[in-house]
Amino acid sequence: MPFRRALAPFLVAAALLAAPAVVAVPASADNSSADSSTEIDVPGQPLGVAAGPDGELYVSDYNWAGGVSVYRPGEAKASRQIKVGRWPTSLAMTADGTLYVLQVTESMETELGIVAPGASEVSATIPLTQGSQWLAAAPDGSLYVTSPSEGTVSVVLPGSAHIGRVIEAGPSPVEVTVAADGTAYAANQYAGTVTVIPAGATGPSHTVDVGRTSSPHGIAAAPDGTVYVANVLSNDVAVIEPGGTTVARRIRVGREPQEVVMAPDGTVYVTNAGDNTVSVIPPGADHASHAIATGEDPGRLAVTADGSVAVVSRGDKNLTVISAGPAGPAPAPVPSSEPLEAAADDGSRAGAGDGGSAFGTGLPVIAAGAGALLLAGAATLVVMLRSQRKVRRVEPAAVWTAE
């Protein structure tokens, strides 16, 4: 049991990075709003997505051969391919058009690939600690890299090809967002907290308790500094007001929300992996106005300069592009039969008391030197936390079933 407890932060971090297809019945999605969407089939196993300053979309192919497909605005076929390292996962694009790719070498060592604006291949790499990391671009052009296994956030300064500083966060910081004023917020999934890092600081100022059994994952900051945190287990979005030290309110969304992004007009979009939908929260609203259907198992999102939102559907292997447009007035929320509260800490959830059965057994691990690299497609935290439902998991090399 102590061994499983020690592994828990690593498994939580690796699981959602490339959660494969989830067998789930989509919830009723209200598409009667002004929103319109287009589906784009993409090659291989799409995972990461980023939007360029010119409106292009970049999609990583989570396979040994790797690659990043580039789609011009309004086009359904890739205009070009970028050669990157093996098993590319997370992507981030800075304002000057520099693309960062989380990838591994042939010897399975984790590294950060740097693609210059307009280039067709990686021009430089930065070695990283082993394990799964997530990337986020800051408004000033810096790149932030979370390391769940190390409990840290690393910063690459604009134009640099090395790590500028490493900041201690909490247990298993899976994602990070940077507000307009340079304050960084890291979602610590295993601890159920958000670490607040002031601009330019070498350490955090404080943490905000989101709820250990909520399992915070995706995180986004609004222009005014309001922070939105998607909680996988409590099926809500926690809202932290600018400068706040506690959660101000919670917004009910769909089942198993994983990722959240902020559009230029202040609209918040949240992927619900359990419903195959995206919840839409109008600017300043305290509830979602409606949901938009996506492909199977929606994951990462990216917002283009015109406000369109691209959603990776990992199960159907495509992109759902939601056209830019006002979300419209928010109607009264539909009453829910479920109480708005975090999942019970009964030992069957991530971060439960004994740290044991939540993660199951037999997770594929690839050794690299003295450490172990948990590949992004190893499992899905959402699936592992469903003890009552059979789930089909799809991996690059195998298909297997688990309770």
Side-chain angles (χ1 to χ4, degrees):
M1 200 65 71
F3 176 72
R4 286 187 175 183
R5 183 180 297 109
L7 278 181
F10 297 85
L11 298 175
V12 171
L16 280 170
L17 187 58
V22 175
V23 176
V25 178
S28 297
D30 178 7
N31 286 312
S32 61
S33 70
D35 298 300
S36 62
S37 61
T38 303
E39 288 191 356
I40 300 174
D41 291 329
V42 294
Q45 179 59 62
L47 184 56
V49 60
D54 55 1
E56 288 184 323
L57 291 173
Y58 297 75
V59 184
S60 63
D61 177 10
Y62 179 69
N63 276 302
W64 170 254
V68 172
S69 299
V70 184
Y71 295 83
R72 291 173 179 160
E75 295 188 356
K77 291 186 177 180
S79 61
R80 60 191 179 96
Q81 295 286 325
I82 299 176
K83 183 179 179 181
V84 298
R86 309 299 187 183
W87 304 107
T89 54
S90 185
L91 301 178
M93 174 77 70
T94 55
D96 68 350
T98 301
L99 177 69
Y100 293 87
V101 185
L102 196 284
Q103 58 188 29
V104 296
T105 66
E106 291 192 4
S107 58
M108 302 310 297
E109 296 173 342
T110 308
E111 65 180 12
L112 183 64
I114 304 174
V115 181
S120 59
E121 61 182 2
V122 170
S123 58
T125 60
I126 301 175
L128 299 174
T129 57
Q130 294 295 77
S132 57
Q133 280 94 355
W134 294 75
L135 312 179
D140 69 351
S142 298
L143 182 79
Y144 283 66
V145 185
T146 63
S147 176
S149 61
E150 298 290 324
T152 61
V153 174
S154 299
V155 183
V156 179
L157 298 178
S160 174
H162 65 273
I163 300 296
R165 65 182 187 275
V166 179
I167 305 166
E168 293 293 328
S172 190
V174 288
E175 291 196 31
V176 63
T177 187
V178 185
D181 66 355
T183 302
Y185 300 84
N188 305 308
Q189 188 166 22
Y190 188 60
T193 61
V194 170
T195 296
V196 182
I197 306 166
T202 57
S205 60
H206 62 283
T207 60
V208 178
D209 184 17
V210 177
R212 184 182 176 95
T213 55
S214 291
S215 191
H217 190 262
I219 188 167
D224 68 354
T226 303
V227 176
Y228 295 81
V229 188
N231 297 306
V232 178
L233 295 184
S234 54
N235 298 329
D236 61 38
V237 172
V239 182
I240 303 170
E241 299 290 358
T245 57
T246 61
V247 172
R249 62 186 184 278
R250 294 177 183 269
I251 302 173
R252 170 69 68 181
V253 289
R255 291 187 299 126
E256 295 149 11
Q258 289 187 12
E259 308 295 342
V260 56
V261 294
M262 172 74 60
D265 67 352
T267 302
V268 178
Y269 295 84
V270 185
T271 53
N272 305 307
D275 290 339
N276 297 335
T277 62
V278 169
S279 290
V280 181
I281 304 172
D286 60 1
H287 60 272
S289 61
H290 60 286
I292 300 170
T294 66
E296 186 179 34
D297 196 21
R300 298 288 280 179
L301 308 96
V303 181
T304 63
D306 70 354
S308 297
V309 177
V311 186
V312 172
S313 295
R314 297 163 295 196
D316 285 338
K317 300 182 179 181
N318 62 21
L319 284 179
T320 298
V321 181
I322 303 168
S323 299
V334 177
S336 173
S337 59
E338 295 183 57
L340 183 54
E341 60 185 14
D345 192 359
D346 59 0
S348 64
R349 304 303 193 194
D354 64 4
S357 61
F359 301 101
T361 58
L363 294 178
V365 177
I366 296 183
L373 174 61
L374 298 175
L375 282 182
T380 167
L381 176 62
V382 172
V383 173
M384 288 186 289
L385 297 171
R386 296 176 183 162
S387 59
Q388 301 299 322
R389 196 189 321 174
K390 274 194 174 182
V391 178
R392 175 174 58 86
R393 295 173 176 172
V394 182
E395 299 190 50
V399 177
W400 54 287
T401 303
E403 288 289 340

